[in-house]
């Protein structure tokens, strides 16, 4: 029993770590960001409520027969609205004291008097309370998993016209009560469809697992359900790159977990060292961290210096003395990223093979030297793309054979550094120029970005901007309806025989 308890205590730290995998990327949306979302969301809700379909209403009370058809929402006034976070996983959206204007066709029969025409009605004091529950689905995507809704209408009145206006105003209680009930019954189903279907289709545009280029991809799946406080919503993403040739490959995350404390900007995105390390590890596994220069691609000044440095070895290769030179630069281990408050750097270990390549004959190796470089990395956000600009800071070469040969290579230090700066670094930065997309829905971009370094991670604080409206993006991905939902036009006049009322 005691041995079992000791084993459990020893395994407890490992179990806690396994249950709480640190994110490589973390996003925080603040109340200020939610305010911007509310403005766009309010326009979306207004459009959805304007498309409410209300059933026809018909019936009789004594000698009063009525038939109400072609009900259409004409106008909405959403006087007061509020969108806020509610712990633990919820968003709360309230609309208070709204009004909805309706217009519909009437067919009325009272004793022997028959009348047709239109009626303008207004629902006032409309209150809507909705709670959206957020969660990650099986694919690791953020979804609205559930919605609760409560809608009420404080009062409703209808305006009649025509010869029997006074009579209808007296008898309108039946119509107004029925319309109030039918309208109230349609508000929540309309908003439920908008949330669970339409808004979830918008969330489907957030990249979860996609390709960055022809060599690697990235996994942005959520590690857990979102954490919601009264002021913030935090999302923990895996943030791991993978080689496309081995998509199931996993890289353990031992980096410091990003911590976001700020709330002043609309959104914050944090990246740990693991995020960048996994990218370089994926490229290394894909076998693309190598470059070859041969013949005319070798800078002339460097070629002269190399031929002078290895004159003895080249002279011994007669008659291949004038054969082209070949330089092969190959990274020997996955580069490592180091993030400090003072800046971000990347350490790279590589080897450089220098060979003669006589035409029609095997290549002759002149030297194989090890290289250690440190690159400074400038990380910035543009639109939704995270980009990195690299610059060579420190460079050292040495022989893998002997200290004496390392001393002989000292004269190559400066020209090889120049080769890296002028030839190799532009090629690397051209590859990183495209960047990688941050997991935001389509139509939403970052603006006014500020990058801040911390110990083991960096954060990007930014504001949000809608480059496309919610409706535009949703309509882009809305599946085509198989059958029409409502008639394309309203008939000019009712055709029903009044005696059928």
């Amino acid at each position: 029993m005691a041995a079992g308890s000791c084993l459990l205590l020893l395994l407890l730290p490992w179990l806690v770590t396994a249950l709480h995998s640190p994110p490589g990327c973390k996003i925080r949306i603040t109340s200020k960001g939610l305010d911007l979302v509310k403005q766009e969301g309010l326009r979306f809700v207004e459009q959805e409520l304007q498309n409410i379909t209300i059933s026809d209403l018909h019936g009789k009370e004594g000698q009063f027969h009525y038939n109400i058809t072609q009900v259409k929402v004409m106008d909405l006034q959403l006087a007061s609205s509020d969108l806020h976070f509610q712990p633990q996983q919820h968003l709360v959206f309230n609309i208070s004291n709204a009004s909805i204007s309706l217009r519909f066709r009437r067919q009325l029969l009272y004793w022997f008097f028959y009348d047709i025409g239109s009626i303008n009605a207004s629902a006032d004091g409309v209150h809507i309370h909705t709670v959206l529950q957020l969660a990650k689905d099986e694919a690791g995507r953020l979804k609205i998993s559930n919605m609760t809704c409560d809608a009420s209408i404080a009062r409703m009145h209808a305006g009649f016209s025509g010869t029997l206006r006074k009579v209808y105003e007296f008898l309108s209680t039946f119509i107004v009560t029925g319309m109030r009930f039918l309208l109230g019954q349609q508000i929540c189903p309309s908003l439920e469809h908008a949330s669970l279907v339409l808004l979830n289709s918008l969330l489907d545009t957030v990249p979860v697992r996609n390709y960055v280029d022809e060599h690697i991809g990235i996994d942005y799946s959520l590690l857990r359900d979102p954490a919601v406080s009264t002021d913030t919503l935090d999302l923990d993403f895996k943030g791991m790159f993978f080689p496309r040739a081995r998509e199931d490959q996993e890289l353990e995350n031992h980096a410091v977990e990003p911590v976001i404390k700020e709330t002043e900007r609309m959104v914050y995105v944090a990246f740990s060292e693991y995020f960048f390390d996994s990218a370089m590890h994926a490229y290394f596994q894909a076998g693309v961290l190598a470059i070859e220069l041969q013949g005319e691609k070798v800078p002339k000044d460097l070629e002269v210096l190399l031929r002078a440095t290895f004159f003895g070895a080249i002279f011994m290769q007669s008659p291949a003395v004038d054969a082209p030179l070949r330089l092969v630069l190959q990274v020997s281990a996955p580069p490592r990223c180091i993030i400090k408050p003072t800046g971000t750097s990347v350490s790279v270990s590589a080897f450089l093979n220098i060979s003669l390549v006589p035409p029609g004959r095997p290549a002759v190796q002149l030297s194989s030297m090890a290289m250690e470089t440190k690159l400074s990395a400038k990380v910035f956000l543009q639109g939704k793309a995270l980009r990195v600009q690299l610059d060579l800071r420190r460079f050292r070469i040495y022989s893998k054979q002997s200290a004496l040969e390392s001393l002989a290579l000292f004269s190559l230090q400066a020209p090889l550094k120049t080769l890296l700066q002028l030839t190799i670094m532009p090629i690397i930065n051209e590859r990183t120029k495209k960047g990688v997309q941050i997991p935001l829905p389509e139509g939403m971009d970052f603006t006014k970005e500020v990058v801040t370094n911390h110990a083991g991670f960096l954060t990007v604080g930014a504001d949000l901007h809608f480059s496309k409206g919610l409706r535009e993006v949703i309509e882009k991905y809305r599946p085509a309806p198989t059958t029409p939902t409502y008639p394309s036009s309203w008939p000019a006049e009712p055709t029903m025989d009044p005696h059928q009322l």
Side-chain angles (χ1 to χ4, degrees), residues 81-371:
S81 63
D82 174 59
L83 177 65
H84 64 269
F85 297 117
Q86 176 178 294
Q88 301 287 328
Q89 299 168 229
H90 301 103
L91 287 177
V92 178
F93 184 54
N94 291 318
I95 295 176
S96 303
N97 201 29
S99 64
I100 303 176
S101 298
L102 305 172
R103 185 179 180 86
F104 47 87
R105 300 285 293 179
R106 73 175 189 265
Q107 288 177 279
L108 304 175
L109 179 66
Y110 184 62
W111 290 95
F112 300 106
F113 298 98
Y114 172 66
D115 190 34
I116 62 173
S118 61
I119 300 177
N120 294 319
S122 176
D124 298 320
V126 179
H127 296 270
I128 305 172
H129 175 76
T130 58
V131 179
L132 307 178
Q133 182 174 359
L134 304 175
K136 79 175 186 75
D137 66 7
E138 294 181 356
R141 190 186 300 276
L142 180 65
K143 287 287 188 179
I144 300 172
S145 60
N146 192 25
M147 173 189 170
T148 59
C149 175
D150 181 50
S152 63
I153 301 173
R155 56 197 173 276
M156 187 167 186
H157 60 85
F160 292 86
S161 60
T163 56
L164 301 178
R165 179 171 59 87
K166 293 295 183 180
V167 176
Y168 298 151
E169 287 177 353
F170 175 73
L171 297 172
S172 65
T173 304
F174 312 117
I175 298 175
V176 170
T177 302
M179 290 304 302
R180 178 180 172 185
F181 173 78
L182 291 176
L183 179 61
Q185 289 293 304
Q186 292 301 315
I187 291 175
C188 283
S190 175
L191 295 181
E192 183 175 345
H193 177 265
S195 301
L196 299 181
V197 178
L198 301 183
L199 288 183
N200 273 336
S201 71
L202 176 71
L203 294 175
D204 284 339
T205 66
V206 178
V208 171
R209 190 176 178 91
N210 63 325
Y211 294 140
V212 176
D213 54 29
E214 64 271 25
H215 305 295
I216 68 170
I218 187 167
D219 186 343
Y220 271 132
S221 58
L222 281 172
L223 295 175
R224 54 192 64 90
D225 290 332
V228 181
S229 70
T230 55
D231 300 313
T232 61
L233 182 148
D234 289 341
L235 301 167
D236 290 349
F237 296 94
K238 191 171 188 177
M240 184 198 76
F241 293 83
F242 56 86
R244 291 182 60 170
R246 286 177 259 178
E247 294 194 15
D248 57 345
Q249 179 174 291
E250 292 283 335
L251 181 66
E252 288 190 26
N253 186 353
H254 301 292
V256 174
E257 180 171 347
V259 178
I260 304 176
K261 297 180 179 179
E262 300 86 352
T263 58
E264 290 78 18
R265 305 296 298 276
M266 290 184 181
V267 64
Y268 291 89
V269 189
F271 305 95
S272 72
E273 291 174 344
Y274 171 81
F275 181 86
F276 301 100
D277 283 347
S278 69
M280 293 180 287
H281 186 273
Y283 275 123
F284 180 79
Q285 292 292 320
V288 296
L289 298 184
I291 191 167
E292 179 179 311
L293 300 177
Q294 182 174 323
E296 294 181 355
K297 292 185 178 180
V298 180
K300 196 63 180 177
D301 293 344
L302 179 61
E303 180 183 0
V304 172
L305 183 60
L306 290 174
R307 289 185 181 276
T309 302
F310 302 107
F311 175 76
I314 295 175
F315 184 77
M316 295 296 293
Q317 302 301 320
S318 180
V321 174
D322 295 327
L325 285 177
R326 180 172 68 190
L327 278 64
V328 178
L329 181 62
Q330 173 75 53
V331 174
S332 56
R336 294 299 304 274
C337 174
I338 302 171
I339 303 176
K340 296 180 178 180
T342 52
T344 303
S345 62
V346 178
S347 297
V348 184
S349 298
F351 56 81
L352 176 64
N353 289 331
I354 304 173
S355 307
L356 275 179
V357 190
R361 296 176 55 186
V364 179
Q365 182 170 299
L366 301 177
S367 178
S368 179
M369 61 188 76
M371 300 175 58

